[in-house]
Amino acid sequence: MELKEQIDLNNLPQHIAIIMDGNGRWAKQKGKARVFGHKNGVQSVREVTEAGAELGIKYMTLYAFSTENWNRPKYEVTALMTLLVSTIRKEIATLNKNSIRLKTIGNTEMLPKAAQKELAEAIESTKNNDRMTLILALSYSSKSEIVSAAKKLAQKVKDGQINIEDINEESISNSLHTKDFPDPELMIRTSGETRISNFLLWQLAYAELFFTPVFWPDFRKDHLYEAILNFQNRERRFGLTSEQIDKTGN
Ligand code: IPE
Ligand code: IPE
Ligand code: MG
């Protein structure tokens, strides 16, 4: 049976987050420059977005550029920004055709003006789409997101809008860039690295983590199905015992 047919559509993660990693190593293996890997990673973005929407995944967050990535060689950063602008421009029609809404998280005000403009247009043009929300993490740092949440809440206390006692998990969640989205239940990282790299530290508190050696430019629909099937075969216990979860009592 095809991988896709084995997926239980009644037990899909609502939100999948992906650390798209390994573009540089993929290119190096082929004797090419790192940027060649980034360019080929775009097709993988198309594939997972389409596969997610087809299955009925409601939210997908893709880690496209971290705050730390600003420290890469200037030509690589410039190439990534140029690629971002041209890709967004090319994909708007497809996003609308598939009823996918685009959103971003991260310090996007640090992006070049052209990228900010392209993103704003794509976000506006797709805002009424309701099949799936595609969230691009751009110039994103989870620690910096948590710091700004702490500052927002501290300011509210200072202004007398809330009391210290009002600070709880919900108010912190509501102060993050992800406030409008549910937490991811599944996080996938490609390229064999098994770390979080400052991605959604708060939001991934109880996510299932899936690591695959596949480099991002090689990632295809079947790889996404494999990760979802793996997720569906896990028991999510949330601190309880297996017996408490198994409702048949066995
Ligand atoms: C992921 O691939 C893309 C970005 C971080 C922008 P990398 O560029 O990190 O590729 P590797 O990890 O060096 O192979
Ligand atoms: C994480 O990948 C960021 C993105 C995928 C955008 P990196 O390749 O930058 O992560 P580290 O630095 O190796 O952990
Ligand atoms: Mg990397």
Side-chain angles (χ1 to χ4, degrees):
M1 203 181 3
E2 303 252 327
L3 281 178
K4 188 181 180 186
E5 290 159 19
Q6 295 171 43
I7 294 175
D8 175 2
L9 297 177
N10 296 314
N11 182 26
L12 286 174
Q14 257 201 105
H15 186 171
I16 300 178
I18 307 181
I19 302 180
M20 311 184 285
D21 198 13
N23 295 352
R25 280 163 286 163
W26 181 89
K28 197 174 175 192
Q29 263 189 352
K30 299 185 148 38
K32 302 272 178 133
R34 296 178 53 83
V35 173
F36 181 70
H38 298 317
K39 287 188 178 146
N40 279 274
V42 175
Q43 183 55 30
S44 309
V45 172
R46 283 193 199 104
E47 296 239 351
V48 293
T49 307
E50 195 180 282
E54 280 168 1
L55 281 174
I57 304 295
K58 282 301 183 192
Y59 300 86
M60 197 176 262
T61 299
L62 304 180
Y63 203 3
F65 195 83
S66 72
T67 310
E68 290 76 17
N69 290 149
W70 288 115
N71 298 320
R72 290 194 177 189
K74 194 170 178 291
Y75 67 87
E76 184 172 340
V77 172
T78 307
L80 279 165
M81 292 303 144
T82 310
L83 189 61
L84 176 68
V85 173
S86 63
T87 307
I88 301 284
R89 192 172 299 157
K90 269 191 250 157
E91 299 301 317
I92 293 187
T94 314
L95 292 175
N96 279 324
K97 195 179 109 219
N98 294 315
S99 193
I100 297 168
R101 177 171 73 136
L102 186 74
K103 290 279 184 182
T104 59
I105 53 171
N107 298 316
T108 47
E109 68 285 351
M110 285 174 73
L111 298 172
K113 285 278 170 300
Q116 291 188 42
K117 185 168 166 276
E118 214 59 55
L119 283 165
E121 282 173 22
I123 290 167
E124 175 62 25
S125 153
T126 61
K127 70 176 182 202
N128 295 322
N129 295 342
D130 58 5
R131 191 169 176 207
M132 183 175 90
T133 301
L134 176 67
I135 304 147
L136 294 182
L138 288 164
S139 189
Y140 178 81
S141 149
S142 184
K143 282 193 173 183
S144 123
E145 180 188 32
I146 292 169
V147 169
S148 50
K151 285 184 181 163
K152 275 184 218 165
L153 291 170
Q155 188 67 49
K156 283 188 182 167
V157 172
K158 194 175 166 203
D159 295 346
Q161 291 173 21
I162 58 168
N163 297 313
I164 288 195
E165 296 69 38
D166 298 326
I167 298 179
N168 53 28
E169 293 186 10
E170 197 188 346
S171 65
I172 293 178
S173 287
N174 286 334
S175 306
L176 298 171
H177 299 166
T178 49
K179 63 176 175 349
D180 298 324
F181 320 126
D183 287 344
E185 297 99 321
L186 171 61
M187 195 285 282
I188 302 169
R189 183 172 189 149
T190 60
S191 88
E193 305 298 353
T194 47
R195 53 179 174 263
I196 305 284
S197 303
N198 207 0
F199 187 45
L200 303 174
L201 301 176
W202 172 276
Q203 299 88 336
L204 293 177
Y206 248 117
E208 297 296 329
L209 310 181
F210 182 84
F211 298 99
T212 167
V214 174
F215 289 141
W216 181 250
D218 284 332
F219 199 87
R220 290 292 170 267
K221 290 185 178 184
D222 267 349
H223 296 112
L224 182 74
Y225 302 150
E226 185 196 339
I228 295 173
L229 283 167
N230 183 290
F231 168 86
Q232 293 188 331
N233 284 317
R234 296 186 191 188
E235 183 176 64
R236 305 191 76 208
R237 287 191 286 278
F238 299 103
L240 303 183
T241 66
S242 198
E243 291 71 19
Q244 285 175 295
I245 305 290
D246 184 353
K247 296 187 184 65
T248 62
N250 297 319

